[in-house]
Structures are given as C-alpha cells and as structure tokens.
Amino acid sequence: MTTINQQHPVHIPNTIVSGDDISPRHAPLLEVGPLAWVKKNLFNTLSDTILTFVVIAIVISVVVSFVTWTVGQANWYTINFNLRLLMLGRFEPEAEWRITLVVLMTAFTIGIALAAWARIGRGLALFIVGLIALTFIVPMVIYTALPLPNYYASAGQVRIGGDNGQLPQPQMAFTGRAGETVTVRFADQYADTDASLAQVNSFADAATNAALNLAGNRLTTEAQINDLKKLLAGDTLTDRQRTRAEFDLKALKDSDPIVDSLKLNQQPVKVSILQGTTMEPLPDGEITLTDSQSLLTVTLPADGWYILQKEIDDPDSAAILETHGIYPILQRNITRGAEDEGPAIGSIAQYVRMTDLYTTEAELPLRENGRTLPFIVVTSNQYRGMTPFSDYLRLYVAPFLNQINSFLLIVCVVAAIGYFIGRMLDWFLSPELHPHQLSSRTAVWLLGVVPILSFVAIWGFTNDGVRQFLILLFTLAWLFAAYLAGTQFAQSRNVLALSTLVVVAVVGIIFRGQNLVYGLLSNALNTLEANPNLILVIVVALTILVGIIAALIGRTRGQNTSSLAFMVGLIVCAVIIVICVFGASRLPPLLADAVPLTDTRRWGGVLLTMLLTIVGIIGSLPLGILLALGRRSKLPVLSTACTIYIELVRGIPFITVLFMATLLIPLINPSLASFPSAFRAMIATVLFTAAYIAEVVRGGLQAIPTGQDEAAKALGLGGIQVTLFITLPQALRLVIPPMMGSFIGMFKDTSLVAIVGLLDLTGMAQNVVSQTEFLGLRRETFMFISIFYFVFSYFIAAISRRIEATGAGQALRTQI
C-alpha cells in the first residue's frame, strides 16, 4: 500500500492505455504444443534426429511393401470362399441357427453390460452406425462403378512354350445366370509387342499365362544381352571379366518376338457360345473374329452350363481373346442326406463361380465320346499379374463386405436393444441412490447364465440332458425367487411373500416335480430308488432349506430393491418354475428332436477357439483362486498338494498337457477313449491355465498389507470372512493386468490344439491352404487369422483397462 505525503504532494500525470496498441502474444511454437513434443522427443539431438529419420524410412518401406502386396499381389479368394469354414469349421449347416442364436444372446448381454458399466457417447454411436452403413454402401458403390475384370482365353492349335508347353483348349465350359451378357473380342492391346503381352493382368487360362511368361522371359533375356554388350564395349573389364562376360553372352540366345512367332491375333477365329445341355449354338452366338472391331455379344437365356468354343484354321497361329462374363470356377464335393432324414444320398458336386459365389449343381456337359468337357477351373485360370486397386475392390473387398454386413447389422441392433433395455431398467426401476443397480445385477446374471446356455445350445440335447437342464433351470429360478422374496421381506417384513413362494414351490414339486429330480437322485441314492415318496420328502426339505438360505442372503443385501422390480422378477421366476414343472414330461423329447446333439468332431474354426477360450476363462479363474488360497493355507497337506500341482503344471509345456489329455488318458483308462477330444482339450486348458492364475492371485494376496488382515481379525471376523470380504477382493483388483495377460496368452495358446488334431482357427487355416485350389496362399490365410487374434486380444486388453479405470489397484495406491 502506498502512502502519499501531505506536506509535499507529488504530481502524478494521467496515463492513458490504449488496447489497440497491444498486440496478442502467442506462445513460441517450439516451446509448447505438438511441435515442442516433436522437437523434444524426436529431434532433440543429432543422434535422435538420425534415428528418427531411419525409423521413419523403415516404417514407410514396410507400410508401402505391405500395401503393395495386399492390393497388388495377394489372392484373398482363400478368405472370401472359406469364410464360413474359418468361422465354424465343419459344423452342421442345419444347426447353424444355434450359432446365430448364441451370438445374438452374447450381443444382448454386452448391450446390457455397457448400459450398466459404461456409456456409449453420441460420437461413438454415430461412428458405429456410420461404419455399419458403409458395409452396405461401399459394396453397392463398387458394384455400380467398377466392372468385373476380363477373362483372357487362348485359341489355336500350336503349343505355347514348345513341345512341353500349353495347348489352348478348343472348348471350355463355364457357368452363367439368366440375363447375364457374355462378350468376346480380340485382345489386340496385348498382341502388338512382347512388352504389352507381358503386362496382362486379369484372369487368364494356362496357355495365355504361358505366352505372357515367354514374353517376359524374352524381354529379360534381351535386356541382359544389351547390358553385356554395353559392358563389353567399354574398357573397364579385366581379361578374366571380359572372358566371363563373352561366355555369358554366348549362352544367351535372343529369339524372335513371341507375338510374331505365334502370329498372335493375325488369323481369323471362329467363336461360338453353346448351350451346355444341347451343345447347340445360342441365337446370335456365333461369329468369326477378324479384327479389333469384331465383337460377339450373347445374353444367356437360363442358369446353368455354357461352352466357349474357339477355332483357328491355321495350325501355326494363336490368338488371345478378351471375354467378359466368363470367370473361373471352383469345384467342391458335399455329402447330403435324404429329405426324410435317412441315410446320405452320396457325394454331390457343386460348382462355385469365384467372382460372386454363384453355385450350381448341374452336371458338367459331355463330349461326344461321353467324357466331361474341361471347365474354367480356378487352379489353371487364376488371376495373373499385379492387381490394380479397382480390381482389388471389385474382387475381394465388396464380396467380403457382402458376406458380413447383414450379420453385423443384426448383431449391432440386438446389442443396441440390450443397451436400451438396460437404460430403461435403471430409469424406471433402480433406486436413486444406486442408479445402475438393476442393470448391473441383470448383466451379472446374464454373464453367468449366457455361457451355459450357449454351450448347451451349441452341443445340443438328449432326453436325459433336457431333464437335467430343467433341474438346473428350476433350481436357479427357485433360488432367485427366494432371494427376491428375502429382499422384499427386508423392507416391508411381508411374510406373505416368502411363505406364498415356498407353498407354490412345494405344491409344484408334489404335483410334477418328482419327474425332474427323481432321475438325478436315484443315481446318487440307489438305496432309495424303490421309495420315491422318501425321495420326494428329501427333495422338498432340501429345496425349502436352500430357498430359505437364499432368502436370508437377499434380506441382508436387499434394502434398496423396489417393489416393482420384486414383482417383475417374481413373475419371471414363477413362469420358469411352471414351465419346468409342467413341461418335465413333454419338453425332453421335444427339445431333443429340435436341438439334437452335434458332432464335436465337426467343431472348428473360430467356434472351437472361442469355446476353448471361454471355458478356459470360466473354469480356470475359480480353480486358480482355490489353488492360490490352498498354497497360502496353514495346513501342510493342503499347501504342499497345491504347491506341487502349481509347480508341476507350470513346469510342463502346454502342448505336453494336450498330448496327455488326448493320447495318454485313453491308454490309462480305455473307457475314456469315447470322450470327445474337444472336451479333453477344454479340461487340459482349464487345468493348465489355473496354475498360472493361482500364482497371479497369490501375488495379489501377498501385496495386501498385513495390517488389514490384523484389523479385520480385531473386529471379530473369522479367517474365511477376512479372505472373502477383505483380502481376496482387493487382491483380484490388484492383479487385473497380469490376470488378463494370462487369459490373452491362453487365448493364443489355443492354437496349439491343431497339433493334436483339433481344427481350431489355426488348424482350419492349415486345412484351407492344403486344398489344391489354394496352394501357395499361406500368407493371405495366416495374415487373416493374425488380424483376428490381434483384434480379440486387444478387445480383452481394452476390457482390462476399463476395469482398472473403475478403481482397480486402489488398495495398493492408498498405501503409498
């Protein structure tokens, strides 16, 4: 504070500050912002700068090479054609609807889980909608704007490539649809010079491929001769080098241009399009091509087989024809059963057009001698040369999107419905203090029930299996109803709700419940098999006892449950109980016929990989926790047994465990030889992964400060209570990252089951590339499955990060 002397006043002149004279000052570009980060981290020193440019050059080179290979060289027909095989293996086509049902149930559960534990922002929702829309719009645009590439067929009587070369086929069968147009003309753009002939890039037959290879080899030889002549014309070579160059020059023989030696497109060609059934030319289906203006255009009258016939009178001439509407075909044999579900009627040949998967089962046309005509098979009529981007979009991208867009749309719609229902449950039924209580509980129940229902739906039912499933469903519904009654009793002390539920359950068991439980108990209590009344008494007593326990649990935890939620849940449980009780005699044969058992040997692809992963996660987590607690136990026998198991399993490779489960166990006990191999692999996965989860959980338990254990015991909690409510929840939160890492490793290790004969995704990929039509396409196939493994692993890691963001690790941080 300034004090002014009154005796000697100081004159302070007036100061006027104009805002117009002050220009805004910006922070230096190289001190803050992205440029500052780049300067600090990438170009801080000379060595950093050099290393940065080297890494950028490597990344650009790798990206350019990968994109060039993906677009210009890769053959993605192996994915488009075998997509179902890679996804489901050889799963029965008539039971494929079960897989669809399982995926939709999973999508619905994910939607409710997102409503409970996450939020879908407007931006993300618009992005998902736009992405799904693109999967429909992009194929439409591609099909409208980009035509299919041409097919180049050779004609003539001369072998292209010498005596062991390729002889053009005079007749080639192809498939077509009604209304499609086929055009044929001279490919004069490739018949001028060898340089143009070597640039053929489209579908072509073997003889055309031989011609373009000859042209390419001749151009290479000609270039080598010119280089050697230039080298010999100089004076830079030593005598030895000159002698070597002269020897190489003599070894190289320059030949006449291929287009001249074959008289390419210099003689007329008679072209006909014949009907496959009658071998007669179609109307306007014959023409003699004489020059580049000659054009044959034919509209196909019906679906089926047609024949392209080519004739040249000059035995020393050849021609390359450009056709549109004729494309390679892949033949596959399937076994189909009779319509009355009787025995198989034999192997049926299907012919699939590679460009659009058009399939026909019509028989191949026959020659006059009764032998089948050659057809444009994909093995000898593949795409030749570098693929331009337009052909890449038309041949690979659009067909792939067309196979997945409808399925993706349905899955996203079902997930959105689940998300909307979850939000509605919270808005109308959840209490204000816990706004996401009902959606969270619903999501937890679905996450527990959906895997069981999914496995049952995929595997199928027998009559006994349906009865056991009804027992399980009845038990779950009864326990949940008792839990709901307990929550309501905690608030209103309405004894009528609980007593009425008990009476209804007992009456249901007395009327028809013995049909559900008699078979189960008679196996365990053989001495009581002749006394069903005593079994009924035991059933009623156990049901009431367990129901009362569930009600007491609900009473202690249900202070915030609304009456409306109680009524809705009670009605649902009552409906399930009534269906189980009164359908016990009718549902088993009905479900067993509608959802019969599937052959586990036909499980494969992504289906088997996901089953192994989900069963491994669900089974190994509780077993690993028990092993970790057992190893920390003070009982020497229990601790030693758990330690031996953990160390023994962790010291054995996973493939060894798989071999033991697949090969050795049937040798030890022959009765297990009929046990499905897929189930053996699942058990081996659970037992192996549980040992690693046990060590992860044990590390989390050791990270909990001992003071918490002592404080809990000082409050009067027992050892089990301390573990269940104090230490174990915190330990599990602490070890979320390593636990998810173990699950990701297990997911990738499931590929090892291919070694023991199971066709998971990796095994099915091996099976695909062993087919004659897809030999040499390992890179494309394994690139696709690598992308799948990466996407799913990243999805699991993202879930892990999301769980951590909700507060995992707080116990550790609070101690720092």
Side-chain angles (χ1 to χ4, degrees), residues 206-225:
T208 303
N209 186 49
L212 67 91
N213 286 335
L214 287 175
N217 294 335
R218 180 189 168 276
L219 292 174
T220 302
T221 302
E222 186 179 15
Q224 292 176 351
I225 291 174

Side-chain angles (χ1 to χ4, degrees), residues 151-155 158-162 164-169 172 197 200 202-215 262 310 319-320 328 374-384:
Y151 169 70
Y152 295 99
S154 59
V158 59
R159 285 188 178 274
I160 301 176
N164 296 323
Q166 296 290 336
L167 180 65
Q169 295 287 344
M172 293 292 289
L197 178 59
V200 173
S202 189
F203 297 106
D205 60 13
T208 303
N209 186 49
L212 67 91
N213 286 335
L214 287 175
L262 294 177
K310 314 157 294 208
I320 295 180
F375 62 95
I376 305 179
V377 63
V378 66
T379 52
S380 57
N381 295 267
Q382 298 180 11
Y383 197 99
R384 317 290 183 180

Side-chain angles (χ1 to χ4, degrees), residues 475-539:
T475 304
L476 292 176
W478 161 240
L479 293 179
F480 187 62
Y483 175 85
L484 290 176
T487 60
Q488 189 68 9
F489 178 77
Q491 299 178 72
S492 60
R493 299 190 179 276
N494 187 358
V495 182
L496 182 63
L498 183 58
S499 59
T500 302
L501 194 59
V502 172
V503 171
V504 170
V506 173
V507 171
I509 294 175
I510 292 175
F511 276 104
R512 300 295 294 276
Q514 63 268 26
N515 293 330
L516 289 173
V517 297
Y518 180 79
L520 181 65
L521 287 181
S522 62
N523 295 328
L525 306 173
N526 293 325
T527 57
L528 303 177
E529 185 174 2
N531 192 350
N533 294 326
L534 183 57
I535 293 179
L536 182 61
V537 172
I538 295 175
V539 169

Side-chain angles (χ1 to χ4, degrees), residues 147-151 173-175 202-203 323-329 353-355 376-377 381 395:
L148 280 168
N150 299 314
Y151 169 70
F174 66 94
T175 58
S202 189
F203 297 106
T323 71
H324 189 80
I326 300 176
Y327 299 103
I329 301 167
R353 191 163 59 181
M354 299 299 293
T355 52
I376 305 179
V377 63
N381 295 267
L395 296 176

Side-chain angles (χ1 to χ4, degrees), residues 508-637:
I509 294 175
I510 292 175
F511 276 104
R512 300 295 294 276
Q514 63 268 26
N515 293 330
L516 289 173
V517 297
Y518 180 79
L520 181 65
L521 287 181
S522 62
N523 295 328
L525 306 173
N526 293 325
T527 57
L528 303 177
E529 185 174 2
N531 192 350
N533 294 326
L534 183 57
I535 293 179
L536 182 61
V537 172
I538 295 175
V539 169
V540 172
L542 291 177
T543 304
I544 294 176
L545 178 62
V546 176
I548 291 175
I549 295 175
L552 293 176
I553 295 174
R555 179 181 178 183
T556 59
R557 303 184 61 184
Q559 288 78 6
N560 296 318
T561 302
S562 64
S563 299
L564 182 58
F566 163 72
M567 293 301 299
V568 172
L570 191 59
I571 291 173
V572 172
C573 293
V575 171
I576 295 175
I577 292 173
V578 170
I579 293 175
C580 291
V581 172
F582 292 95
S585 60
R586 299 179 179 88
L587 286 179
L590 182 63
L591 286 178
D593 293 338
V595 190
L597 286 179
T598 57
D599 189 353
T600 58
R601 295 171 298 179
R602 299 173 66 93
W603 294 2
V606 175
L607 170 64
L608 182 57
T609 298
M610 297 307 298
L611 285 175
L612 290 171
T613 301
I614 294 174
V615 171
I617 292 176
I618 295 176
S620 64
L621 181 58
L623 181 58
I625 293 174
L626 292 177
L627 288 172
L629 295 176
R631 185 166 185 174
R632 286 171 53 89
S633 175
K634 296 180 180 179
L635 298 175
V637 176

Side-chain angles (χ1 to χ4, degrees), residues 735-746 748 796 800:
V735 298
I736 287 174
M739 186 182 299
M740 288 299 180
S742 298
F743 288 149
I744 291 174
M746 179 202 65
K748 293 183 291 185
I796 297 179
S800 172

